[in-house]
């Protein structure tokens, strides 16, 4: 008789954003006359910029001709894209990353879950709390997290690093030594960042403890402050302890196009074993590459025209973040984030739990956000709003929410 992976049965409920989506659909079905504004999931609303659309069209035309048709992509991704990444994201910031350290994929979400396949099950992970749910859930599926305590919302074999108001909603070095540390800056969900000096402490700690940092830099394009690093490799020693995950979803609007990449330096080893070589082996075995037309679109992101167009698009979303943060603060909400990240993190009101506040905002303001407790136990009593809506809907949503307090 076949058997299932029973680790999946340990997962409590459904995936956070699946639950949010279901509750939104149910409310709309029961109230068809209401205009519901969605500021929950971090999905973009602005169309692809012209230079990217042009690149897509050009690549499609190539695929329609025998002399320029492309089949399977190279394991690591096309050299034209990896060269553009190495130059535009790293060399431009004084960081030397070789193209064979860059692995093109269909997105950072997949990579953040898949990367743990090359790591032993006896590793103990450390996560910020609250945290992007995929980090924890994918390790649950692998069987690395121990048992779940429904009363505390915690797993027995996970080191939780509380992200609290007193530490700027960013994690601090853990008291218990982990083997794998997940970091996300600018942070999802809290919008927090750390300075280069503060990130250097994490790198030094990881090298000292022989721990691995999995660094999610999906939102680096939204950084506006000069002392906030755009890549973990700006820190000395990061190449011997850190893997970096990147996405085209938020900086270029590729949520529906799908493209990302992971950087694994050749210096990163476990004993004598190269993690770069392990990931290359995994990539070659389990992945046939992002589509050629999508990789050409990714290349356009690094063109001068593409950069200027996307800079305006990022500014559009960050203006939304300003509208949300200033509007809610003016109304009396306690808010943070929204400076280097397109997320605003706010306290619930009147002692409501995160899910109670979700229902309250949906019912009274017809606005959908994300309950903070869905990101981890320290998120209880908080709520996340995204700046990825349209400007018009964002303004309307905040005007509605101002009336709640």
């Amino acid at each position: 008789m076949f058997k299932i992976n029973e680790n999946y049965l340990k997962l409590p409920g459904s995936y956070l954003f699946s639950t949010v989506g279901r509750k939104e659909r149910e409310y709309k079905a029961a109230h068809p006359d209401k205009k519901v504004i969605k500021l929950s999931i971090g999905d973009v609303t602005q169309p692809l910029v012209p230079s990217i659309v042009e690149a897509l069209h050009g690549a499609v035309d190539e695929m329609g001709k025998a002399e320029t048709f492309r089949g399977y992509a190279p394991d690591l991704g096309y050299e034209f894209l990896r060269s553009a990444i190495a130059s535009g994201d790293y060399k431009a910031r004084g960081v030397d990353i070789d193209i064979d350290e860059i692995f093109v994929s269909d997105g950072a979400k997949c990579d953040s879950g898949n990367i743990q396949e090359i790591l032993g099950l006896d590793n103990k992970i450390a996560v910020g709390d609250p945290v992007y749910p995929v980090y924890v859930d994918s390790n649950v599926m692998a069987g690395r997290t121990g048992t779940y305590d429904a009363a505390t919302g915690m797993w027995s074999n996970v080191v939780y690093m509380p992200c609290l108001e007193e530490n700027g909603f960013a994690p601090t070095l853990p008291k218990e030594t982990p083997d794998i540390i997940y970091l996300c800056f600018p942070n999802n969900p809290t919008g927090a960042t750390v300075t280069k000096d503060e990130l250097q402490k994490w790198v030094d700690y990881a090298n000292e403890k022989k721990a691995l940092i999995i660094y999610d830099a999906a939102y680096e394009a939204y950084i506006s402050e000069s002392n906030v690093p755009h890549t973990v490799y700006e820190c000395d020693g990061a190449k011997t302890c850190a893997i970096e995950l990147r996405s085209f979803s938020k900086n270029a609007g590729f949520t529906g196009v799908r493209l990302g990449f992971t950087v694994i330096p050749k210096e990163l080893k476990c004993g004598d074993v190269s993690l770069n070589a392990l990931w290359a082996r995994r990539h070659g075995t389990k992945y046939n590459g992002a589509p050629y037309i999508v990789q050409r679109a990714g290349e356009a992101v690094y063109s001068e025209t593409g950069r200027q167009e996307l800079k305006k698009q990022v500014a559009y979303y960050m203006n939304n973040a300003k509208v949300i943060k200033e509007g809610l603060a003016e109304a009396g909400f306690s808010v943070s984030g929204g400076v280097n990240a397109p997320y605003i993190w706010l306290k619930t009101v009147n002692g409501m739990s995160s899910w109670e506040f979700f229902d309250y905002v949906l019912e009274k303001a017809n606005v959908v956000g994300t309950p903070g407790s869905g990101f981890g136990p320290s998120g209880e009593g908080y709520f996340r709003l995204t700046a990825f809506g349209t400007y018009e809907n964002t303004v309307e949503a905040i005007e509605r929410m101002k009336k709640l307090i």
Side-chain angles (χ1 to χ4, degrees), residues 35-40 320-329 331 333 344 346 357 360-370 383-405:
K35 177 187 175 182
V36 176
I37 298 177
K38 185 176 179 179
L39 298 180
S40 51
N320 285 352
K322 182 180 180 181
V323 167
I324 297 171
K325 185 173 185 178
E326 292 183 355
L328 293 181
F333 286 93
I344 288 79
L346 63 139
F357 190 68
Y360 178 69
V361 173
L362 180 57
E363 176 68 34
K364 300 298 183 182
N366 304 147
V367 173
V368 184
T370 307
F383 199 66
R384 191 196 76 174
L385 292 175
T386 170
F388 286 120
T390 65
Y391 173 75
E392 294 76 15
N393 278 347
T394 299
V395 170
E396 183 176 349
I398 299 313
E399 288 303 314
R400 295 180 191 176
M401 288 189 66
K402 284 180 178 180
K403 301 173 183 177
L404 299 179
I405 194 169

CSV table of all heavy atoms in Angstrom, one decimal, residues 35-40 320-329 331 333 344 346 357 360-370 383-405:
chain,number,residue,atom,x,y,z
A,35,LYS,N,-18.4,47.3,-2.9
A,35,LYS,CA,-17.1,47.4,-3.6
A,35,LYS,C,-16.0,47.1,-2.6
A,35,LYS,O,-15.7,47.8,-1.7
A,35,LYS,CB,-16.9,48.8,-4.1
A,35,LYS,CG,-15.5,48.9,-4.8
A,35,LYS,CD,-15.2,50.4,-5.2
A,35,LYS,CE,-13.8,50.5,-5.8
A,35,LYS,NZ,-13.5,51.9,-6.2
A,36,VAL,N,-15.4,45.9,-2.7
A,36,VAL,CA,-14.4,45.4,-1.8
A,36,VAL,C,-13.0,45.8,-2.4
A,36,VAL,O,-12.8,45.5,-3.5
A,36,VAL,CB,-14.5,43.9,-1.5
A,36,VAL,CG1,-13.3,43.4,-0.7
A,36,VAL,CG2,-15.8,43.6,-0.9
A,37,ILE,N,-12.2,46.4,-1.6
A,37,ILE,CA,-10.9,46.8,-2.0
A,37,ILE,C,-9.8,45.9,-1.4
A,37,ILE,O,-9.8,45.7,-0.2
A,37,ILE,CB,-10.6,48.3,-1.6
A,37,ILE,CG1,-11.5,49.2,-2.4
A,37,ILE,CG2,-9.1,48.6,-2.0
A,37,ILE,CD1,-11.4,50.7,-2.0
A,38,LYS,N,-9.0,45.3,-2.2
A,38,LYS,CA,-8.0,44.3,-1.8
A,38,LYS,C,-6.7,44.9,-1.5
A,38,LYS,O,-6.0,45.3,-2.5
A,38,LYS,CB,-8.0,43.2,-2.8
A,38,LYS,CG,-7.1,42.0,-2.5
A,38,LYS,CD,-7.3,41.0,-3.6
A,38,LYS,CE,-6.5,39.7,-3.4
A,38,LYS,NZ,-6.6,38.7,-4.4
A,39,LEU,N,-6.2,44.9,-0.3
A,39,LEU,CA,-4.9,45.4,0.1
A,39,LEU,C,-4.2,44.3,0.9
A,39,LEU,O,-3.5,44.6,1.9
A,39,LEU,CB,-4.9,46.7,0.8
A,39,LEU,CG,-5.5,47.9,0.1
A,39,LEU,CD1,-5.5,49.2,1.0
A,39,LEU,CD2,-4.8,48.2,-1.2
A,40,SER,N,-4.4,43.1,0.5
A,40,SER,CA,-3.9,42.0,1.3
A,40,SER,C,-2.7,41.3,0.7
A,40,SER,O,-1.6,41.6,1.2
A,40,SER,CB,-5.0,40.9,1.5
A,40,SER,OG,-5.6,40.6,0.2
A,320,ASN,N,1.8,55.1,-2.8
A,320,ASN,CA,0.6,54.4,-2.1
A,320,ASN,C,1.0,54.1,-0.6
A,320,ASN,O,0.1,54.3,0.2
A,320,ASN,CB,0.3,53.1,-2.8
A,320,ASN,CG,-0.4,53.3,-4.1
A,320,ASN,OD1,-0.8,54.4,-4.5
A,320,ASN,ND2,-0.6,52.2,-4.9
A,321,ALA,N,2.2,53.6,-0.4
A,321,ALA,CA,2.6,53.3,1.0
A,321,ALA,C,2.6,54.6,1.8
A,321,ALA,O,2.1,54.5,3.0
A,321,ALA,CB,4.0,52.7,0.9
A,322,LYS,N,3.0,55.7,1.3
A,322,LYS,CA,3.0,56.9,2.0
A,322,LYS,C,1.5,57.3,2.3
A,322,LYS,O,1.2,57.8,3.5
A,322,LYS,CB,3.6,58.0,1.2
A,322,LYS,CG,3.7,59.4,1.9
A,322,LYS,CD,4.4,60.4,1.0
A,322,LYS,CE,4.4,61.8,1.7
A,322,LYS,NZ,5.1,62.8,0.8
A,323,VAL,N,0.6,57.2,1.4
A,323,VAL,CA,-0.8,57.5,1.6
A,323,VAL,C,-1.4,56.6,2.7
A,323,VAL,O,-2.1,57.2,3.6
A,323,VAL,CB,-1.6,57.2,0.3
A,323,VAL,CG1,-3.1,57.3,0.5
A,323,VAL,CG2,-1.2,58.3,-0.8
A,324,ILE,N,-1.0,55.4,2.7
A,324,ILE,CA,-1.5,54.5,3.7
A,324,ILE,C,-1.0,54.8,5.1
A,324,ILE,O,-1.7,55.0,6.1
A,324,ILE,CB,-1.2,53.0,3.4
A,324,ILE,CG1,-1.9,52.6,2.1
A,324,ILE,CG2,-1.6,52.1,4.6
A,324,ILE,CD1,-1.4,51.2,1.6
A,325,LYS,N,0.3,55.0,5.2
A,325,LYS,CA,1.0,55.2,6.5
A,325,LYS,C,0.6,56.5,7.1
A,325,LYS,O,0.2,56.6,8.2
A,325,LYS,CB,2.5,55.1,6.3
A,325,LYS,CG,3.2,55.2,7.6
A,325,LYS,CD,4.7,55.0,7.5
A,325,LYS,CE,5.4,55.0,8.8
A,325,LYS,NZ,6.9,54.7,8.7
A,326,GLU,N,0.6,57.6,6.3
A,326,GLU,CA,0.3,58.9,6.8
A,326,GLU,C,-1.2,59.0,7.1
A,326,GLU,O,-1.6,59.6,8.1
A,326,GLU,CB,0.7,60.0,5.8
A,326,GLU,CG,2.2,60.1,5.7
A,326,GLU,CD,2.7,61.2,4.8
A,326,GLU,OE1,1.8,61.9,4.1
A,326,GLU,OE2,3.9,61.5,4.7
A,327,GLY,N,-2.0,58.4,6.3
A,327,GLY,CA,-3.5,58.5,6.5
A,327,GLY,C,-3.9,57.8,7.7
A,327,GLY,O,-4.7,58.3,8.5
A,328,LEU,N,-3.4,56.6,8.0
A,328,LEU,CA,-3.7,55.9,9.2
A,328,LEU,C,-3.2,56.5,10.4
A,328,LEU,O,-3.8,56.5,11.5
A,328,LEU,CB,-3.3,54.4,9.0
A,328,LEU,CG,-4.0,53.6,7.9
A,328,LEU,CD1,-3.4,52.1,7.9
A,328,LEU,CD2,-5.5,53.6,8.1
A,329,ALA,N,-1.9,57.0,10.3
A,329,ALA,CA,-1.3,57.6,11.5
A,329,ALA,C,-2.1,58.9,11.9
A,329,ALA,O,-2.4,59.2,13.0
A,329,ALA,CB,0.1,58.0,11.2
A,331,ALA,N,-5.2,59.3,11.5
A,331,ALA,CA,-6.5,58.9,12.1
A,331,ALA,C,-6.3,58.3,13.5
A,331,ALA,O,-7.3,58.2,14.2
A,331,ALA,CB,-7.1,57.8,11.2
A,333,PHE,N,-4.1,55.4,14.2
A,333,PHE,CA,-3.6,54.1,14.2
A,333,PHE,C,-2.1,54.1,14.5
A,333,PHE,O,-1.4,55.1,14.2
A,333,PHE,CB,-3.8,53.4,12.8
A,333,PHE,CG,-5.2,53.0,12.5
A,333,PHE,CD1,-6.0,53.8,11.8
A,333,PHE,CD2,-5.6,51.7,12.9
A,333,PHE,CE1,-7.3,53.4,11.5
A,333,PHE,CE2,-6.9,51.3,12.6
A,333,PHE,CZ,-7.8,52.1,11.9
A,344,ILE,N,2.7,48.1,5.1
A,344,ILE,CA,2.5,48.8,6.3
A,344,ILE,C,2.0,47.9,7.4
A,344,ILE,O,1.1,47.1,7.1
A,344,ILE,CB,1.4,50.0,6.0
A,344,ILE,CG1,2.0,51.1,5.2
A,344,ILE,CG2,0.9,50.6,7.3
A,344,ILE,CD1,2.1,50.8,3.7
A,346,LEU,N,0.4,47.6,11.1
A,346,LEU,CA,-0.3,48.4,12.1
A,346,LEU,C,-1.0,47.6,13.2
A,346,LEU,O,-1.2,46.4,13.0
A,346,LEU,CB,-1.4,49.2,11.3
A,346,LEU,CG,-2.6,48.4,10.7
A,346,LEU,CD1,-3.9,49.1,10.9
A,346,LEU,CD2,-2.3,48.3,9.2
A,357,PHE,N,-10.0,41.7,13.8
A,357,PHE,CA,-9.8,43.0,13.1
A,357,PHE,C,-10.0,42.8,11.6
A,357,PHE,O,-10.5,43.7,10.9
A,357,PHE,CB,-8.4,43.6,13.4
A,357,PHE,CG,-8.2,45.0,12.9
A,357,PHE,CD1,-8.9,46.0,13.5
A,357,PHE,CD2,-7.3,45.2,11.9
A,357,PHE,CE1,-8.7,47.3,13.1
A,357,PHE,CE2,-7.1,46.5,11.5
A,357,PHE,CZ,-7.8,47.6,12.1
A,360,TYR,N,-13.6,42.8,11.0
A,360,TYR,CA,-14.1,44.1,11.3
A,360,TYR,C,-13.9,45.1,10.1
A,360,TYR,O,-14.8,45.8,9.7
A,360,TYR,CB,-13.5,44.7,12.6
A,360,TYR,CG,-13.9,46.1,13.0
A,360,TYR,CD1,-15.2,46.3,13.4
A,360,TYR,CD2,-13.0,47.1,13.0
A,360,TYR,CE1,-15.6,47.6,13.8
A,360,TYR,CE2,-13.3,48.4,13.3
A,360,TYR,CZ,-14.6,48.7,13.8
A,360,TYR,OH,-15.0,49.9,14.1
A,361,VAL,N,-12.7,45.1,9.6
A,361,VAL,CA,-12.3,46.0,8.5
A,361,VAL,C,-13.0,45.6,7.3
A,361,VAL,O,-13.5,46.4,6.5
A,361,VAL,CB,-10.8,46.0,8.3
A,361,VAL,CG1,-10.4,46.7,7.0
A,361,VAL,CG2,-10.0,46.5,9.5
A,362,LEU,N,-13.2,44.3,7.0
A,362,LEU,CA,-13.9,43.8,5.9
A,362,LEU,C,-15.4,44.2,5.9
A,362,LEU,O,-16.0,44.7,4.9
A,362,LEU,CB,-13.8,42.3,5.7
A,362,LEU,CG,-14.5,41.6,4.5
A,362,LEU,CD1,-14.0,42.2,3.2
A,362,LEU,CD2,-14.2,40.1,4.6
A,363,GLU,N,-16.0,44.0,7.1
A,363,GLU,CA,-17.4,44.3,7.3
A,363,GLU,C,-17.7,45.8,7.3
A,363,GLU,O,-18.6,46.3,6.6
A,363,GLU,CB,-17.9,43.7,8.6
A,363,GLU,CG,-19.3,44.0,8.9
A,363,GLU,CD,-20.3,43.3,7.9
A,363,GLU,OE1,-20.0,42.2,7.5
A,363,GLU,OE2,-21.4,43.9,7.7
A,364,LYS,N,-16.9,46.6,8.0
A,364,LYS,CA,-17.2,48.0,8.2
A,364,LYS,C,-16.6,48.9,7.1
A,364,LYS,O,-17.2,50.0,6.8
A,364,LYS,CB,-16.7,48.5,9.5
A,364,LYS,CG,-17.3,47.7,10.7
A,364,LYS,CD,-18.8,47.9,10.8
A,364,LYS,CE,-19.4,47.2,12.0
A,364,LYS,NZ,-20.9,47.4,12.1
A,365,ALA,N,-15.5,48.5,6.5
A,365,ALA,CA,-14.8,49.3,5.5
A,365,ALA,C,-14.7,48.7,4.2
A,365,ALA,O,-14.3,49.3,3.2
A,365,ALA,CB,-13.4,49.7,6.0
A,366,ASN,N,-15.1,47.4,4.1
A,366,ASN,CA,-15.0,46.6,2.8
A,366,ASN,C,-13.6,46.7,2.3
A,366,ASN,O,-13.4,46.8,1.1
A,366,ASN,CB,-16.0,47.1,1.8
A,366,ASN,CG,-17.4,47.2,2.3
A,366,ASN,OD1,-18.2,48.0,1.9
A,366,ASN,ND2,-17.8,46.2,3.2
A,367,VAL,N,-12.6,46.5,3.2
A,367,VAL,CA,-11.2,46.5,2.8
A,367,VAL,C,-10.6,45.2,3.3
A,367,VAL,O,-10.9,44.7,4.4
A,367,VAL,CB,-10.4,47.7,3.4
A,367,VAL,CG1,-8.9,47.5,3.1
A,367,VAL,CG2,-10.9,49.0,2.8
A,368,VAL,N,-9.8,44.5,2.4
A,368,VAL,CA,-9.2,43.2,2.8
A,368,VAL,C,-7.7,43.5,3.1
A,368,VAL,O,-7.0,44.0,2.2
A,368,VAL,CB,-9.3,42.2,1.6
A,368,VAL,CG1,-8.7,40.9,2.1
A,368,VAL,CG2,-10.8,42.0,1.2
A,369,GLY,N,-7.3,43.1,4.2
A,369,GLY,CA,-5.9,43.1,4.6
A,369,GLY,C,-5.4,41.7,5.0
A,369,GLY,O,-6.1,40.8,4.7
A,370,THR,N,-4.3,41.6,5.7
A,370,THR,CA,-3.9,40.3,6.2
A,370,THR,C,-3.6,40.3,7.7
A,370,THR,O,-2.9,41.2,8.2
A,370,THR,CB,-2.5,40.0,5.4
A,370,THR,OG1,-2.7,40.1,4.0
A,370,THR,CG2,-2.1,38.5,5.8
A,383,PHE,N,-1.7,43.9,11.9
A,383,PHE,CA,-2.4,43.7,10.6
A,383,PHE,C,-1.5,44.3,9.5
A,383,PHE,O,-0.8,45.3,9.7
A,383,PHE,CB,-3.7,44.6,10.7
A,383,PHE,CG,-4.8,44.2,9.6
A,383,PHE,CD1,-5.4,43.0,9.7
A,383,PHE,CD2,-5.2,45.2,8.7
A,383,PHE,CE1,-6.4,42.7,8.8
A,383,PHE,CE2,-6.2,44.9,7.8
A,383,PHE,CZ,-6.8,43.7,7.8
A,384,ARG,N,-1.5,43.6,8.3
A,384,ARG,CA,-0.6,44.1,7.2
A,384,ARG,C,-1.5,44.6,6.1
A,384,ARG,O,-2.4,44.0,5.7
A,384,ARG,CB,0.3,43.0,6.7
A,384,ARG,CG,1.4,43.5,5.8
A,384,ARG,CD,2.0,42.4,5.0
A,384,ARG,NE,1.2,41.9,3.9
A,384,ARG,CZ,1.5,41.0,3.0
A,384,ARG,NH1,2.7,40.4,3.1
A,384,ARG,NH2,0.7,40.6,2.1
A,385,LEU,N,-1.1,45.8,5.6
A,385,LEU,CA,-1.7,46.3,4.3
A,385,LEU,C,-0.6,46.4,3.3
A,385,LEU,O,0.6,46.7,3.6
A,385,LEU,CB,-2.3,47.7,4.6
A,385,LEU,CG,-3.6,47.7,5.5
A,385,LEU,CD1,-4.0,49.1,5.7
A,385,LEU,CD2,-4.7,46.9,4.9
A,386,THR,N,-0.9,46.2,2.0
A,386,THR,CA,0.0,46.3,0.9
A,386,THR,C,-0.2,47.5,0.1
A,386,THR,O,-1.4,48.0,0.0
A,386,THR,CB,-0.1,45.0,0.0
A,386,THR,OG1,0.7,45.3,-1.2
A,386,THR,CG2,-1.5,44.8,-0.4
A,387,ALA,N,0.8,48.1,-0.4
A,387,ALA,CA,0.8,49.3,-1.2
A,387,ALA,C,0.7,49.0,-2.7
A,387,ALA,O,0.8,49.9,-3.5
A,387,ALA,CB,2.0,50.2,-1.0
A,388,PHE,N,0.4,47.7,-3.1
A,388,PHE,CA,0.4,47.3,-4.5
A,388,PHE,C,-1.0,47.5,-5.2
A,388,PHE,O,-1.1,47.1,-6.3
A,388,PHE,CB,0.8,45.8,-4.6
A,388,PHE,CG,2.3,45.6,-4.4
A,388,PHE,CD1,2.7,44.8,-3.4
A,388,PHE,CD2,3.2,46.2,-5.2
A,388,PHE,CE1,4.1,44.6,-3.2
A,388,PHE,CE2,4.5,46.0,-5.0
A,388,PHE,CZ,5.0,45.2,-4.0
A,389,GLY,N,-1.9,48.1,-4.5
A,389,GLY,CA,-3.2,48.4,-5.2
A,389,GLY,C,-3.0,49.6,-6.1
A,389,GLY,O,-2.0,50.2,-6.2
A,390,THR,N,-4.1,50.0,-6.8
A,390,THR,CA,-4.1,51.2,-7.6
A,390,THR,C,-4.1,52.4,-6.6
A,390,THR,O,-4.6,52.3,-5.5
A,390,THR,CB,-5.3,51.3,-8.5
A,390,THR,OG1,-6.5,51.4,-7.7
A,390,THR,CG2,-5.3,50.1,-9.4
A,391,TYR,N,-3.6,53.5,-7.1
A,391,TYR,CA,-3.6,54.7,-6.2
A,391,TYR,C,-5.1,55.1,-5.8
A,391,TYR,O,-5.3,55.4,-4.7
A,391,TYR,CB,-3.0,55.9,-7.0
A,391,TYR,CG,-3.1,57.2,-6.3
A,391,TYR,CD1,-2.3,57.5,-5.2
A,391,TYR,CD2,-4.0,58.2,-6.7
A,391,TYR,CE1,-2.4,58.7,-4.5
A,391,TYR,CE2,-4.2,59.4,-6.1
A,391,TYR,CZ,-3.4,59.7,-4.9
A,391,TYR,OH,-3.5,60.9,-4.3
A,392,GLU,N,-6.0,55.0,-6.8
A,392,GLU,CA,-7.4,55.4,-6.5
A,392,GLU,C,-8.0,54.5,-5.5
A,392,GLU,O,-8.7,55.0,-4.5
A,392,GLU,CB,-8.2,55.4,-7.8
A,392,GLU,CG,-7.8,56.4,-8.9
A,392,GLU,CD,-6.5,56.0,-9.6
A,392,GLU,OE1,-6.1,54.8,-9.5
A,392,GLU,OE2,-6.0,56.9,-10.3
A,393,ASN,N,-7.8,53.2,-5.6
A,393,ASN,CA,-8.3,52.3,-4.6
A,393,ASN,C,-7.7,52.5,-3.2
A,393,ASN,O,-8.3,52.3,-2.2
A,393,ASN,CB,-8.2,50.9,-5.1
A,393,ASN,CG,-9.3,50.4,-6.0
A,393,ASN,OD1,-10.3,51.1,-6.2
A,393,ASN,ND2,-9.1,49.3,-6.7
A,394,THR,N,-6.4,52.8,-3.3
A,394,THR,CA,-5.7,52.9,-2.0
A,394,THR,C,-6.2,54.1,-1.2
A,394,THR,O,-6.5,54.1,0.0
A,394,THR,CB,-4.2,53.1,-2.3
A,394,THR,OG1,-3.6,52.0,-2.9
A,394,THR,CG2,-3.4,53.4,-1.0
A,395,VAL,N,-6.4,55.3,-1.9
A,395,VAL,CA,-6.9,56.5,-1.3
A,395,VAL,C,-8.3,56.2,-0.7
A,395,VAL,O,-8.6,56.5,0.4
A,395,VAL,CB,-7.0,57.6,-2.3
A,395,VAL,CG1,-7.8,58.8,-1.7
A,395,VAL,CG2,-5.6,58.1,-2.7
A,396,GLU,N,-9.2,55.5,-1.5
A,396,GLU,CA,-10.5,55.2,-1.1
A,396,GLU,C,-10.5,54.3,0.1
A,396,GLU,O,-11.3,54.5,1.1
A,396,GLU,CB,-11.3,54.6,-2.2
A,396,GLU,CG,-12.8,54.3,-1.8
A,396,GLU,CD,-13.6,53.8,-3.0
A,396,GLU,OE1,-13.1,53.8,-4.2
A,396,GLU,OE2,-14.7,53.3,-2.7
A,397,ALA,N,-9.6,53.3,0.1
A,397,ALA,CA,-9.6,52.3,1.2
A,397,ALA,C,-9.2,53.0,2.5
A,397,ALA,O,-9.8,52.8,3.6
A,397,ALA,CB,-8.6,51.2,0.9
A,398,ILE,N,-8.2,53.9,2.5
A,398,ILE,CA,-7.7,54.6,3.7
A,398,ILE,C,-8.8,55.6,4.2
A,398,ILE,O,-8.9,55.7,5.4
A,398,ILE,CB,-6.4,55.2,3.4
A,398,ILE,CG1,-5.3,54.2,3.0
A,398,ILE,CG2,-5.9,56.0,4.7
A,398,ILE,CD1,-5.3,53.0,3.9
A,399,GLU,N,-9.5,56.2,3.3
A,399,GLU,CA,-10.5,57.1,3.8
A,399,GLU,C,-11.6,56.3,4.5
A,399,GLU,O,-12.2,56.7,5.5
A,399,GLU,CB,-11.2,57.8,2.6
A,399,GLU,CG,-10.3,58.9,2.0
A,399,GLU,CD,-9.9,60.0,3.0
A,399,GLU,OE1,-10.8,60.5,3.8
A,399,GLU,OE2,-8.7,60.3,3.1
A,400,ARG,N,-11.9,55.1,4.0
A,400,ARG,CA,-12.9,54.2,4.7
A,400,ARG,C,-12.3,53.8,6.1
A,400,ARG,O,-13.1,53.8,7.1
A,400,ARG,CB,-13.2,53.0,3.9
A,400,ARG,CG,-13.9,53.2,2.6
A,400,ARG,CD,-14.1,51.9,1.9
A,400,ARG,NE,-14.5,52.0,0.5
A,400,ARG,CZ,-14.7,50.9,-0.3
A,400,ARG,NH1,-14.5,49.7,0.2
A,400,ARG,NH2,-15.1,51.1,-1.5
A,401,MET,N,-11.0,53.4,6.1
A,401,MET,CA,-10.5,52.9,7.4
A,401,MET,C,-10.3,54.0,8.4
A,401,MET,O,-10.4,53.7,9.6
A,401,MET,CB,-9.1,52.3,7.1
A,401,MET,CG,-9.3,50.9,6.4
A,401,MET,SD,-7.7,50.0,6.3
A,401,MET,CE,-7.4,49.6,8.0
A,402,LYS,N,-10.2,55.3,8.0
A,402,LYS,CA,-10.1,56.4,8.9
A,402,LYS,C,-11.3,56.5,9.8
A,402,LYS,O,-11.2,57.0,11.0
A,402,LYS,CB,-9.9,57.7,8.2
A,402,LYS,CG,-8.5,57.9,7.6
A,402,LYS,CD,-8.4,59.3,6.9
A,402,LYS,CE,-7.1,59.6,6.4
A,402,LYS,NZ,-7.0,60.9,5.7
A,403,LYS,N,-12.4,56.0,9.3
A,403,LYS,CA,-13.7,56.1,10.0
A,403,LYS,C,-13.9,55.0,11.1
A,403,LYS,O,-14.8,55.0,11.8
A,403,LYS,CB,-14.9,56.1,9.0
A,403,LYS,CG,-14.8,57.2,8.0
A,403,LYS,CD,-15.9,57.0,7.0
A,403,LYS,CE,-15.9,58.1,5.9
A,403,LYS,NZ,-16.9,57.9,4.8
A,404,LEU,N,-12.9,54.1,11.1
A,404,LEU,CA,-13.0,53.0,12.0
A,404,LEU,C,-12.5,53.3,13.4
A,404,LEU,O,-12.6,52.5,14.4
A,404,LEU,CB,-12.2,51.8,11.5
A,404,LEU,CG,-12.7,51.2,10.1
A,404,LEU,CD1,-11.8,50.0,9.7
A,404,LEU,CD2,-14.1,50.8,10.2
A,405,ILE,N,-11.8,54.4,13.6
A,405,ILE,CA,-11.2,54.7,14.9
A,405,ILE,C,-11.6,56.1,15.4
A,405,ILE,O,-12.1,56.9,14.6
A,405,ILE,CB,-9.6,54.7,14.7
A,405,ILE,CG1,-8.9,54.6,16.0
A,405,ILE,CG2,-9.1,55.8,13.8
A,405,ILE,CD1,-7.4,54.3,15.9
